[in-house]
Amino acid sequence: MTDDTPLPRLKQLQDDIADQNGMWNAGALHYSLRNAIQVPGPSGHPSGLESLAGDFSRAEKSLDAALMVVGEIRRQRLPAVWAGETQVAATDALAAAERGLERGVGALGRIAKELFRLADALEVAQKRDGDGIPPLQEAYGLTEEITAGPFIDPLNYDGDKMHRAQQLAIGGIGDRVAAHSALAETSREVASTFHDLASQARLQRLSDAPLSPLDELVLADAGSTGDSVDSAILSASMADRAADNLAGLSEADRARMTQLLAAAGSPEHRAYLMRALAAGHDINKITEFNQLIGPYGDDPAWLAAHLNPLGGGPMAPGQQSTTFDGQEWTQGQYPTCVASSTVTARAQVDPLYALQLTTGGHPGDPAYDNGQAFADRLRDEQVRVYDGGRSWYQDLPLIGSDGMRNDQSATIADEEIGAYTGANYENRAVDNADERRAVLPEIERAVDEGHAVPFSTHDDDGGHQMMVIGHDGDRLQVYNPWGYTVWVNEDDFVNGRLDSIGNGVPNELTSVRLPE
């Protein structure tokens, strides 16, 4: 994608001006200065952004008043009434509404804060950019005295004027580049925040489903907290696919699905049924799945342990182990990081697959539903994906090698993850800090929607694949198939410090597989 903002042009002129010293570069400096003066400054009106921010602040106060009313109603003793096509309990509906309003208040407040921040950044950038123009104009005047068009004027050339012009030019263009760069980074961060907030509007994603608004509210809220929907069972993309797939069912199958939802033991149980629908399973398979998890439908902790390997929730410091019954979701001591991370990512989006891994299709049977049996099944799946995704010659002695290539990673991501999310993965090489920073918004958008993003890192000791699975502000949540998740700064991605993920992790980001 071509960047047509003024910043790339200013950066190129900055590089040119830095090299344009001495007598024979006077004409080149003269034209660089002319071009640098003509590049437009940061556009926009800080006062307009501040006015918009004020509107959101007022909306936040109004929504907060509605939150207080709903909270008071919820705390009253309510009759055991049911509503909606899936027989939602009134208490569940009010609790979901209260959490939704609480998140809405937070979102409006955050939008207002970000708009004020952007207004301040724009005002500062416009001033600093403006401060850079007079030195450029003065330098341009000096070079005009010592040049004749694009050539040096030998009769009027003055080395001191040339030196002075270049120093002024370096300072002026430096101010302009710094102003545009700071504003671009703030704009990127604000846009990232806005997209994150937009992806949290899960209720809207279910609006096309043939369900009542009350049913949609409780489904979208299941598993979430008042602060965030990051732990919600239905991600944004899952909610989209579930709504589309439900609308696409025949009338008879839709009635069967509605009956399953109505008989579910909890909002979480309903949401996992919808997650199965989002993964593309037909009504017969979902019915069989429901029969297996039905006895535990009123136990959200059991459902999460067996169906949601990477969980979700608030940001926590340090490494968080990914375990089932004491056994980690890990590659162990094998060179299967690509296959292992892919298997776990599929389990996160396909609850039927997750249940097969954790219980062998026999939930509650101690012979199958235990940590060691899970670890054995997980290892078998990792081997299946690893062996099926490699070329025959990679197993040959002497010329063969362990692991999988990036193109192979993209292929198995399509087969094992994309088949259940509708995404197609494309490998993207990122060879330097600029390319890594440029790809960050695409990574953020993908994980905000609920797509795992595989990425590769390298150093002198070799390579490793992990998955980006979450985003919050300037941090990304990473699943490392060594058996844990961890939050890391985006600056670590950009600047080759991915060993911050864990001891022995190769530090240089070299490629990502982006879902389309």
Side-chain angles (χ1 to χ4, degrees):
M1 182 181 299
T2 302
D3 188 347
D4 58 358
T5 63
L7 181 57
R9 180 62 177 146
L10 287 170
K11 283 185 173 180
Q12 182 59 58
L13 288 165
Q14 184 179 39
D15 291 341
D16 293 342
I17 287 170
D19 294 333
Q20 290 167 346
N21 52 26
M23 178 188 307
W24 302 111
N25 283 309
L29 179 61
H30 182 66
Y31 278 92
S32 291
L33 285 163
R34 182 197 65 182
N35 293 335
I37 293 167
Q38 291 175 347
V39 174
S43 60
H45 302 283
S47 60
L49 290 170
E50 289 171 350
S51 177
L52 186 59
D55 291 340
F56 276 97
S57 291
R58 287 185 287 276
E60 176 192 10
K61 292 182 175 65
S62 297
L63 197 62
D64 192 41
L67 171 61
M68 292 178 64
V69 171
V70 171
E72 289 173 2
I73 295 173
R74 185 187 61 80
R75 287 186 288 273
Q76 296 173 5
R77 183 180 297 276
L78 293 173
V81 295
W82 305 80
E85 296 179 40
T86 66
Q87 298 300 292
V88 171
T91 51
D92 288 340
L94 279 172
E98 186 175 19
R99 284 190 293 269
L101 286 170
E102 187 176 348
R103 290 191 295 270
V105 169
L108 290 174
R110 195 170 175 189
I111 291 171
K113 180 180 178 182
E114 291 296 299
L115 287 171
F116 278 124
R117 176 188 173 204
L118 185 59
D120 289 343
L122 177 58
E123 186 173 8
V124 169
Q126 287 176 336
K127 182 181 184 307
R128 185 167 187 183
D129 180 75
D131 289 344
I133 296 294
L136 295 175
Q137 291 172 329
E138 183 180 349
Y140 181 77
L142 289 171
T143 57
E144 199 165 30
E145 296 175 8
I146 59 175
T147 58
F151 306 107
I152 184 175
D153 182 347
L155 297 178
N156 294 298
Y157 179 77
D158 184 320
D160 289 339
K161 287 184 179 179
M162 178 63 186
H163 178 73
R164 172 65 177 161
Q166 193 198 24
Q167 294 307 302
L168 286 167
I170 289 172
I173 196 70
D175 278 340
R176 298 207 70 191
V177 167
H180 284 259
S181 296
L183 181 59
E185 181 60 18
T186 300
S187 299
R188 185 195 70 79
E189 292 171 356
V190 170
S192 170
T193 297
F194 286 172
H195 189 277
D196 188 16
L197 292 172
S199 72
Q200 293 182 27
R202 305 291 163 82
L203 183 58
Q204 179 185 1
R205 303 303 186 103
L206 287 168
S207 61
D208 292 334
L211 294 171
S212 74
L214 193 60
D215 295 311
E216 295 167 2
L217 171 65
V218 175
L219 281 168
D221 177 75
S224 68
T225 66
D227 294 331
S228 171
V229 294
D230 288 342
S231 59
I233 293 166
L234 292 177
S235 68
S237 61
M238 287 176 185
D240 281 336
R241 280 174 59 83
D244 291 343
N245 291 347
L246 185 60
L249 293 176
S250 68
E251 187 174 340
D253 285 348
R254 191 180 311 131
R256 289 176 63 188
M257 186 69 189
T258 302
Q259 289 170 0
L260 293 179
L261 295 172
S266 64
E268 291 80 8
H269 184 180
R270 291 188 187 93
Y272 282 113
L273 294 176
M274 290 292 278
R275 184 184 272 199
L277 183 64
H281 295 294
D282 62 37
I283 190 64
N284 292 326
K285 287 186 177 180
I286 296 173
T287 299
E288 293 172 4
F289 171 64
N290 182 64
Q291 290 171 346
L292 293 174
I293 68 171
Y296 312 95
D298 61 351
D299 186 349
W302 187 97
L303 294 171
H306 288 78
L307 306 177
N308 200 8
L310 298 178
M315 187 183 302
Q319 298 174 0
Q320 306 297 310
S321 295
T322 52
T323 62
F324 173 74
D325 196 24
Q327 297 290 323
E328 293 180 332
W329 291 78
T330 178
Q331 70 185 83
Q333 300 302 310
Y334 305 97
T336 58
C337 57
V338 175
S340 300
S341 55
T342 302
V343 166
T344 304
R346 175 180 167 184
Q348 185 68 13
V349 297
D350 180 2
L352 278 68
Y353 184 66
L355 186 68
Q356 182 62 33
L357 287 172
T358 55
T359 72
H362 301 273
D365 185 338
Y368 296 89
D369 190 350
N370 68 77
Q372 186 55 56
F374 154 73
D376 293 341
R377 288 187 293 267
L378 179 65
R379 175 67 187 141
D380 288 344
E381 275 299 285
Q382 291 168 347
V383 171
R384 176 187 68 82
V385 173
Y386 181 76
D387 289 346
R390 283 162 48 87
S391 301
W392 61 269
Y393 59 81
Q394 289 176 285
D395 292 323
L396 294 176
L398 299 180
I399 64 170
S401 61
D402 290 332
M404 299 178 73
R405 303 188 306 268
N406 291 335
D407 63 319
Q408 293 171 330
S409 169
T411 298
I412 66 167
D414 284 342
E415 295 171 352
E416 299 291 332
I417 306 171
Y420 303 92
T421 64
N424 293 311
Y425 282 83
E426 176 190 7
N427 186 58
R428 179 87 60 84
V430 283
D431 297 324
N432 54 59
D434 286 342
E435 291 181 359
R436 294 175 201 131
R437 188 170 295 282
V439 83
L440 269 181
E442 295 179 77
I443 295 175
E444 293 170 346
R445 284 194 292 270
V447 296
D448 287 344
E449 291 293 310
H451 296 288
V453 176
F455 67 96
S456 298
T457 66
H458 280 82
D459 62 14
D460 292 340
D461 295 324
H464 186 47
Q465 172 169 299
M466 293 166 281
M467 296 270 183
V468 183
I469 60 170
H471 164 234
D472 190 339
D474 63 352
R475 290 177 175 249
L476 297 173
Q477 187 182 24
V478 171
Y479 164 65
N480 186 347
W482 295 349
Y484 60 85
T485 63
V486 64
W487 288 90
V488 295
N489 288 318
E490 290 183 338
D491 278 348
D492 292 342
F493 271 75
V494 172
N495 297 312
R497 296 193 299 266
L498 286 180
D499 50 348
S500 63
I501 291 172
N503 239 356
V505 171
N507 56 21
E508 194 90 0
L509 174 65
T510 56
S511 66
V512 298
R513 261 66 71 204
L514 291 168
E516 298 178 337

